[in-house]
Amino acid sequence: MATKRKRDFPVELTRRLLEPGPVILISTAWKDQRAIMTCGWHMLLGWDIVGTYIWDANHSHELAKRSRECVINVPTFDLLDSVVGIGNCSSRDVDKFDRFKLTAVEGERVHAPLVGECHANFECSLIETRNTKLYNLFVWQVVKGHVAPSPKYPKTIHYRGNGEFMVSGEEVQRRKLFRPDMLPP
Amino acid sequence: MATKRKRDFPVELTRRLLEPGPVILISTAWKDQRAIMTCGWHMLLGWDIVGTYIWDANHSHELAKRSRECVINVPTFDLLDSVVGIGNCSSRDVDKFDRFKLTAVEGERVHAPLVGECHANFECSLIETRNTKLYNLFVWQVVKGHVAPSPKYPKTIHYRGNGEFMVSGEEVQRRKLFRPDMLPP
């Protein structure tokens, strides 16, 4: 699996990658520790604001809370077995970059490593900690985006629970049905 | 478009429908008003807890806040043009059930109407209002689920912004790669 070349991507277009609801990999680092987790529970809360659920039993919860940083990585179908494997072991026991032969790429704005093999990487800073305590909900500001220029529509994976995944399919557009002010110029 | 027959669905399995990230229709009612909105910003916050972003400029925001109830409906590809139309007009100006020839089905646990033509309907009660004020984030407890027994995997629509949608594709499973405790018995 090769590291994918990326281009800078405007943070206010984060929805283009995350709104369809793909499984993401969240990478974190704190002092000499680093972690990757698989996550299907996330949402946009603004053009450059993302909420992610990180269970407090996950090692990533502690690293995210202490560092107040993460990278949201968007893997594609070719990484499916690694994505499942990452979700089924703990960063307490193993370095997942090593185990799954993934490339830790240095970020520009955060210390957490980007997963080089993913189609997109969003460097994020934590906005607040109240929801972290209440719901294990981390509210992130996206501070830097990196997206591979091709394919235009990555083949993403979407979890249903029970070991089952939906893979992204056909693309359709309905721009003519939109009010002009609902679309970018 | 026909109303779909549903079966009772365990609320703790809500992820099966929502975690893949489909566009949803949120229906609300308050006194003599009712509304439907299109929403792509939502996430699981627990097995039977869902967060949805409802912009405070949307009429649905007020109805949801006042009634503290909603129904989360999952439309399929055959409803795409209605889903787009619903997102491009306001319930302040028009009754969307009438305009889009949708059937308002009575709920069991909430006053908000279910959209009969959708594949799944989740009746929801509001848990708190702090996040409503902070982020336009409504945190819902799912109190009753209704899901059509077939097809097993509905053809859902997933928004990318810019008038573009991804349609759910192939289904794959990787149960053998999961730790047994990560799967239901």
Side-chain angles (χ1 to χ4, degrees):
Chain A
M1 199 69 54
T3 294
K4 292 187 173 121
R5 277 202 199 163
K6 315 285 160 64
R7 288 195 189 138
D8 288 350
F9 191 80
V11 293
E12 66 273 19
L13 296 183
T14 299
R15 75 177 315 181
R16 303 279 292 155
L17 279 300
L18 296 187
E19 187 166 332
V23 169
I24 56 175
L25 296 176
I26 301 176
S27 45
T28 46
W30 173 245
K31 292 187 175 170
D32 62 343
Q33 299 173 69
R34 62 184 183 178
I36 317 176
M37 68 171 280
T38 300
C39 169
W41 293 13
H42 60 83
M43 73 185 284
L44 273 288
L45 285 165
W47 301 120
D48 58 352
I49 309 285
V50 181
T52 68
Y53 182 95
I54 306 180
W55 190 28
D56 54 9
N58 285 125
H59 190 48
S60 299
H61 183 103
E62 195 187 336
L63 302 197
K65 198 168 65 176
R66 290 188 184 277
S67 66
R68 301 180 68 100
E69 293 178 348
C70 83
V71 179
I72 293 175
N73 307 276
V74 181
T76 43
F77 183 67
D78 51 340
L79 287 168
L80 176 58
D81 288 3
S82 297
V83 167
V84 175
I86 287 166
N88 279 269
C89 65
S90 172
S91 295
R92 278 192 198 87
D93 308 321
V94 61
D95 183 290
K96 298 192 195 179
F97 282 96
D98 292 345
R99 174 176 289 190
F100 297 101
K101 299 186 172 54
L102 296 171
T103 310
V105 174
E106 206 168 319
E108 290 181 22
R109 299 284 304 275
V110 303
H111 293 97
L114 286 59
V115 180
E117 287 76 7
C118 285
H119 177 82
N121 317 102
F122 297 100
E123 303 182 37
C124 297
S125 289
L126 193 64
I127 287 180
E128 49 104 313
T129 54
R130 176 181 295 274
N131 276 298
T132 311
K133 283 179 204 140
L134 272 175
Y135 297 114
N136 291 320
L137 171 64
F138 288 71
V139 181
W140 303 102
Q141 172 129 34
V142 181
V143 293
K144 177 77 197 176
H146 312 262
V147 177
S150 75
K152 185 175 177 191
Y153 300 118
K155 196 171 173 182
T156 49
I157 49 187
H158 300 250
Y159 194 46
R160 294 194 181 282
N162 198 26
E164 298 169 14
F165 297 84
M166 178 272 282
V167 184
S168 63
E170 190 189 353
E171 302 288 332
V172 298
Q173 61 90 354
R174 286 292 186 277
R175 278 189 287 275
K176 281 188 185 164
L177 297 180
F178 279 73
R179 290 201 320 264
D181 62 297
M182 303 282 283
L183 296 176
Chain B
M1 198 68 54
T3 293
K4 291 188 172 118
R5 279 202 197 164
K6 317 283 162 62
R7 288 193 189 140
D8 289 350
F9 191 81
V11 293
E12 66 274 17
L13 296 182
T14 299
R15 77 175 315 179
R16 303 279 291 154
L17 279 299
L18 296 187
E19 188 166 332
V23 169
I24 57 174
L25 296 177
I26 301 177
S27 44
T28 47
W30 173 245
K31 293 189 175 170
D32 62 343
Q33 298 172 71
R34 62 185 184 180
I36 317 176
M37 68 172 279
T38 300
C39 170
W41 293 13
H42 60 83
M43 73 184 284
L44 273 288
L45 286 165
W47 302 119
D48 58 352
I49 310 284
V50 181
T52 68
Y53 182 95
I54 305 181
W55 190 28
D56 53 12
N58 285 125
H59 191 48
S60 299
H61 183 102
E62 195 187 336
L63 303 197
K65 198 169 65 174
R66 289 189 184 276
S67 66
R68 301 179 68 98
E69 293 177 347
C70 84
V71 179
I72 293 175
N73 307 276
V74 181
T76 43
F77 182 67
D78 50 342
L79 287 168
L80 175 59
D81 288 2
S82 298
V83 167
V84 175
I86 288 166
N88 280 269
C89 63
S90 171
S91 296
R92 279 191 196 88
D93 308 320
V94 61
D95 183 291
K96 299 193 196 179
F97 282 97
D98 292 344
R99 174 175 289 189
F100 297 100
K101 297 187 173 54
L102 297 171
T103 310
V105 174
E106 206 169 320
E108 290 181 22
R109 298 284 304 276
V110 303
H111 293 97
L114 287 58
V115 180
E117 287 76 6
C118 285
H119 178 81
N121 317 100
F122 297 100
E123 302 181 37
C124 297
S125 289
L126 193 65
I127 287 179
E128 50 104 312
T129 54
R130 177 181 294 275
N131 276 299
T132 311
K133 281 177 206 142
L134 272 175
Y135 297 114
N136 291 321
L137 172 63
F138 288 72
V139 182
W140 303 103
Q141 172 130 34
V142 182
V143 293
K144 177 77 197 175
H146 312 263
V147 177
S150 76
K152 186 176 177 191
Y153 299 118
K155 195 171 174 182
T156 48
I157 50 188
H158 300 249
Y159 195 46
R160 293 195 182 280
N162 198 25
E164 299 170 12
F165 297 84
M166 178 273 281
V167 184
S168 63
E170 190 190 352
E171 301 288 333
V172 298
Q173 61 91 355
R174 287 292 185 277
R175 277 188 288 275
K176 280 187 185 163
L177 296 181
F178 278 72
R179 291 202 319 265
D181 62 297
M182 302 283 283
L183 296 175

